[in-house]
Amino acid sequence: MADAAPSHPPEEQLANLHLDEVTGEKVSKSELKKRQKQRMKDAEKAKKAATAPHPLLSAQKKTSAELEEKELNPNQYFEIRSRNINKLRQSKNPAPYPHKFHVNSDLSDYVEKYQTLKSGEHRKEAEIRVGGRIYNKRAAGPKLIFYDIRSNGVKMQVMCQAQEVKEGGVPFEQQHEHLRRGDIIGIVGYPGRTAPRAKIEKGEEGELSIFATEIILLTPCLHQLPDEYYGFKDQEQRHRKRYLDLIMNEPTRNVFITRSKMTTYIRKYFDDNNFVEVETPMMNPIAGGATAKPFVTHHNDLNMDMFMRVAPELYLKMLVVGGLERVYEMGRQFRNEGIDLTHNPEFTTLEFYMAYADVYDLMDMTEELVSGLVKHVTGGYTTKFHTQHGEEYEVNWQAPWRRVEMIPALEEACGEKFPPGEELHTAETNEFLKRMLKKMKVDCSPPLTNARMLDKLVGEFIEETCVNPTFITGHPQMMSPLAKYHREIPGLCERFEAFVCKKEIVNAYTELNDPFDQRLRFEEQARQKDQGDDEAQMIDENFCQSLEYGLPPTGGFGMGIDRLVMFLTDNYSIKEVLAFPFMKEEASKGRDKLAAEEVGIQPLAEEGIPHK
């Protein structure tokens, strides 16, 4: 059987077909038009998709830009951020430094009022307006951004959703695109608690948050904040940049809040006991009131050198002479001495003077004041303190405190009888004390005066035993030029020093009110000064004359505020409890550029107004 011949479309049909250049097929005219039309639609759609990026990609782009900023070093970040904020200063869209943002709540009040809200519960009718600093910013898509802010030591989450933006308000993207970590923002919103599925499934509550309807930039932070994980730990930089230390480290903030509570309590204690708070001069023609080396300054108009005060004692006693029988002052003193873990050139003391009181009354008042203060600040009487060597002291501040007589305690430690009190100032005693130093292998820096050598022995063998609060009493008169002689033991005076954790916190005594005796004491101090003791006191003629008008029997007390704060906040360095401690100038470090210099802003001409 012969094969069948292949079939071909009639020639007239082939003539009516058209080539589809995309597929290479031949199709009818109508089919070709249909295909071309569809391809045009697809091309248009693809073009539109290409020119209008997907919202998620847009959000990712912005997020990646912020991530890229994290890779910049601090100088690069500062330069870029300064330029960006300067552009906002010029465009005012938004103005980066508005004059005012009205707040109607703070975060501590907010937490107290709304902490009972349940997961998913909101109070949309309550408008909340608070300010705070951004510590963390994270996006969860193009329409949802979370901020962690802090204000007054309280942390709060802010939840921002595009759907919550008020009609006619600033668009969601524009509200958030300029915001970075460290910026201070104003938040307008309502209270609520989130309801994340993961927490609900575990039976946990969501996070109390502010659901923002508007976020306003109030003050941009031009510098890159330290990384949250590594923090800001460099001790020297923390002390130099206390503002940044406070931003990054909550414990630093707590120290200064505790300090404020302490000074408030102290003032209330004295106000409640009918004391008058006074202020005395910071600059004096004579550096008196304490055995210390002063700072010297100069008064141009009077062309005279003056001394920054080392203590307010003499002025306060002159006020008692004048009839202000109970006075106190809390203020700065200045001593041109060494800087170490417990000493700063300027420091804060409390001094009070009480007519008709003596050293024994002051011991009782010291126990009452300090133990009450500890209870008020810590909630109990026992605290812990860690030294720079890692030793831990558990301190019981409750009264009564231990009391130690100086000379008997030294005799016990040295194994020898000391000269009687009335001979402690003599040259023979000077030789005896030098022998004791050699025997006990104790070094004392010159000049080797009797007072300095005795003080060194006390430091080595008595102060070292004073972990719990301890009164050291029975000081020689030649160590205490302003204290009254002991009523029973010749050569000694009625004075005590209170020590805690081996450091002095209080010095007090029955005040010397005999103008004849006071003159002799000052002359002995002048003799010690001639021997080379820069810390010995000068003769204050005005004070001596005031005693001639009559100072009633008086008790005087001085306490170091900084050192007490150290013990109650568990800080072994005084720099941790001073907002701005004295710091040695940084060597070979050039000045960093300021933001205004970075963007080329020129200073405006100003005319100074003379002081009237």
Side-chain angles (χ1 to χ4, degrees):
M1 183 176 170
D3 291 335
S7 61
H8 297 284
E11 289 186 17
E12 60 272 14
Q13 284 185 340
L14 288 171
N16 291 329
L17 295 179
H18 299 269
L19 178 65
D20 185 342
E21 293 178 353
V22 176
T23 65
E25 301 175 273
K26 284 205 170 191
V27 295
S28 67
K29 187 177 182 180
S30 60
E31 176 64 20
L32 182 60
K33 282 187 176 181
K34 184 179 177 183
R35 291 185 181 188
Q36 289 173 337
K37 192 174 182 181
Q38 185 61 43
R39 285 173 188 145
M40 286 176 67
K41 282 184 179 179
D42 291 343
E44 191 68 31
K45 189 175 180 182
K47 185 180 178 182
K48 195 176 284 186
T51 55
H54 192 278
L56 183 57
L57 294 176
S58 177
Q60 288 172 344
K61 185 178 179 182
K62 287 184 174 59
T63 305
S64 66
E66 292 184 34
L67 287 173
E68 285 174 11
E69 289 177 358
K70 289 186 178 180
E71 302 303 316
L72 300 174
N73 67 43
N75 288 336
Q76 291 170 331
Y77 182 93
F78 174 65
E79 290 172 15
I80 293 170
R81 181 74 161 143
S82 296
R83 291 192 187 107
N84 289 341
I85 295 304
N86 192 44
K87 288 176 185 174
L88 294 183
R89 290 177 67 246
Q90 294 164 350
S91 69
K92 309 267 189 226
N93 185 30
Y97 298 98
H99 290 73
K100 167 75 175 172
F101 175 76
H102 175 67
V103 297
N104 61 12
S105 181
D106 65 42
L107 292 185
S108 54
D109 292 338
Y110 179 84
V111 171
E112 184 178 351
K113 188 172 182 179
Y114 295 109
Q115 62 184 346
T116 57
L117 290 177
K118 303 297 181 185
S119 294
E121 193 176 354
H122 306 92
R123 293 281 187 274
K124 288 196 173 186
E125 72 282 359
E127 183 181 76
I128 299 296
R129 299 177 65 93
V130 296
R133 187 184 293 275
I134 299 172
Y135 280 76
N136 194 13
K137 176 184 179 181
R138 56 194 186 279
K143 306 293 185 184
L144 179 60
I145 297 175
F146 292 91
Y147 294 98
D148 292 329
I149 67 162
R150 286 184 201 167
S151 177
N152 278 331
V154 180
K155 182 180 176 182
M156 180 60 58
Q157 176 177 270
V158 180
M159 184 173 177
C160 308
Q161 302 173 88
Q163 67 198 45
E164 295 289 352
V165 174
K166 292 179 180 177
E167 190 176 341
V170 179
F172 184 80
E173 185 179 328
Q174 290 182 29
Q175 287 187 30
H176 301 278
E177 63 182 343
H178 301 296
L179 303 184
R180 298 290 185 271
R181 281 186 72 227
D183 290 354
I184 297 170
I185 57 173
I187 301 116
V188 182
Y190 58 86
R193 192 179 287 274
T194 61
R197 184 183 302 170
K199 282 196 171 185
I200 301 301
E201 288 173 352
K202 293 179 184 177
E204 300 175 0
E205 289 284 2
E207 188 169 351
L208 180 64
S209 305
I210 299 173
F211 289 76
T213 57
E214 185 179 10
I215 300 287
I216 302 163
L217 175 62
L218 301 181
T219 310
C221 177
L222 302 181
H223 290 272
Q224 196 175 43
L225 287 187
D227 182 85
E228 278 191 298
Y229 179 78
Y230 294 104
F232 186 49
K233 303 299 181 188
D234 184 285
Q235 199 170 68
E236 182 171 337
Q237 288 304 309
R238 285 179 45 244
H239 297 154
R240 290 187 186 279
K241 299 180 178 179
R242 185 65 87 190
Y243 49 88
L244 187 54
D245 184 23
L246 287 164
I247 289 172
M248 296 303 300
N249 297 311
E250 193 66 22
T252 301
R253 172 190 170 80
N254 293 337
V255 166
F256 296 119
I257 290 174
T258 299
R259 184 183 180 113
S260 176
K261 287 179 181 176
M262 291 171 65
T263 55
T264 300
Y265 178 91
I266 290 167
R267 281 194 166 93
K268 186 176 187 305
Y269 176 87
F270 286 102
D271 293 344
D272 290 347
N273 282 281
N274 298 319
F275 280 76
V276 177
E277 183 174 12
V278 296
E279 294 174 304
T280 59
M282 289 279 190
M283 294 187 299
N284 306 302
I286 291 174
T291 304
K293 187 175 181 179
F295 283 99
V296 182
T297 185
H298 187 78
H299 194 297
N300 289 336
D301 195 44
L302 299 178
N303 192 26
M304 64 181 288
D305 286 341
M306 301 191 76
F307 300 95
M308 301 298 291
R309 74 176 181 190
V310 294
E313 177 169 344
L314 303 185
Y315 285 109
L316 293 174
K317 286 194 278 196
M318 285 191 274
L319 293 175
V320 178
V321 170
L324 292 176
E325 294 180 350
R326 296 186 177 196
V327 294
Y328 77 97
E329 180 173 12
M330 204 161 4
R332 287 286 200 184
Q333 318 307 328
F334 307 86
R335 297 185 182 178
N336 197 354
E337 300 169 351
I339 301 172
D340 58 28
L341 289 172
T342 58
H343 295 88
N344 194 69
E346 54 177 310
F347 56 97
T348 303
T349 65
L350 161 73
E351 291 205 16
F352 78 81
Y353 293 83
M354 183 177 179
Y356 313 112
D358 66 9
V359 71
Y360 304 105
D361 298 317
L362 297 186
M363 284 189 191
D364 295 338
M365 286 185 71
T366 302
E367 290 175 335
E368 181 184 36
L369 169 65
V370 178
S371 62
L373 171 63
V374 173
K375 179 76 182 298
H376 173 74
V377 170
T378 68
Y381 292 108
T382 303
T383 63
K384 288 186 178 179
F385 179 74
H386 296 84
T387 70
Q388 67 269 34
H389 304 299
E391 302 167 280
E392 180 181 278
Y393 297 147
E394 187 166 303
V395 184
N396 183 0
W397 299 83
Q398 195 163 12
W401 294 359
R402 173 181 169 233
R403 303 186 182 194
V404 177
E405 288 283 338
M406 180 185 290
I407 300 301
L410 286 179
E411 289 175 340
E412 184 179 344
C414 298
E416 288 198 34
K417 185 76 175 172
F418 273 54
E422 62 265 33
E423 296 178 14
L424 288 174
H425 67 287
T426 63
E428 291 78 8
T429 299
N430 186 275
E431 293 302 318
F432 170 83
L433 291 173
K434 286 177 182 177
R435 185 167 61 81
M436 284 299 99
L437 289 175
K438 187 175 181 180
K439 174 185 175 182
M440 303 307 293
K441 299 177 181 178
V442 174
D443 291 325
C444 179
S445 59
L448 296 181
T449 63
N450 295 15
R452 287 175 64 86
M453 288 188 285
L454 261 176
D455 188 57
K456 192 67 179 177
L457 290 169
V458 171
E460 289 289 329
F461 301 111
I462 302 180
E463 293 172 14
E464 284 296 308
T465 69
C466 303
V467 174
N468 283 329
T470 303
F471 292 122
I472 298 176
T473 63
H475 293 66
Q477 278 182 257
M478 50 90 178
M479 292 177 72
S480 314
L482 298 169
K484 196 160 188 172
Y485 62 88
H486 200 288
R487 64 192 79 178
E488 295 173 359
I489 306 174
L492 303 187
C493 62
E494 295 194 351
R495 174 187 176 190
F496 73 80
E497 292 176 291
F499 281 77
V500 179
C501 297
K502 308 180 183 180
K503 301 292 182 183
E504 179 194 344
I505 59 167
V506 174
N507 184 28
Y509 33 80
T510 304
E511 296 294 337
L512 179 61
N513 63 342
D514 179 343
F516 303 96
D517 195 358
Q518 181 64 79
R519 163 66 64 176
L520 295 175
R521 301 280 190 90
F522 273 149
E523 287 177 356
E524 168 61 20
Q525 284 281 299
R527 187 183 68 79
Q528 291 183 20
K529 203 168 191 68
D530 291 340
Q531 288 181 340
D533 189 350
D534 290 335
E535 297 181 352
Q537 296 186 45
M538 306 177 193
I539 298 176
D540 189 324
E541 298 290 355
N542 190 34
F543 173 69
C544 289
Q545 189 176 56
S546 74
L547 293 185
E548 295 169 1
Y549 284 85
L551 172 69
T554 298
F557 166 107
M559 180 171 73
I561 298 296
D562 309 302
R563 201 167 283 180
L564 193 57
V565 177
M566 289 167 61
F567 294 136
L568 296 191
T569 60
D570 193 9
N571 281 295
Y572 61 77
S573 171
I574 193 172
K575 290 181 178 178
E576 297 293 347
V577 303
L578 298 173
F580 299 99
F582 182 85
M583 300 294 292
K584 187 177 179 181
E585 189 174 353
E586 289 182 281
S588 71
K589 186 180 184 300
R591 184 176 71 84
D592 292 332
K593 258 189 175 182
L594 300 176
E597 295 168 328
E598 190 62 55
V599 299
I601 292 178
Q602 297 298 316
L604 294 173
E606 282 189 13
E607 291 185 11
I609 301 174
H611 177 68
K612 296 179 181 178

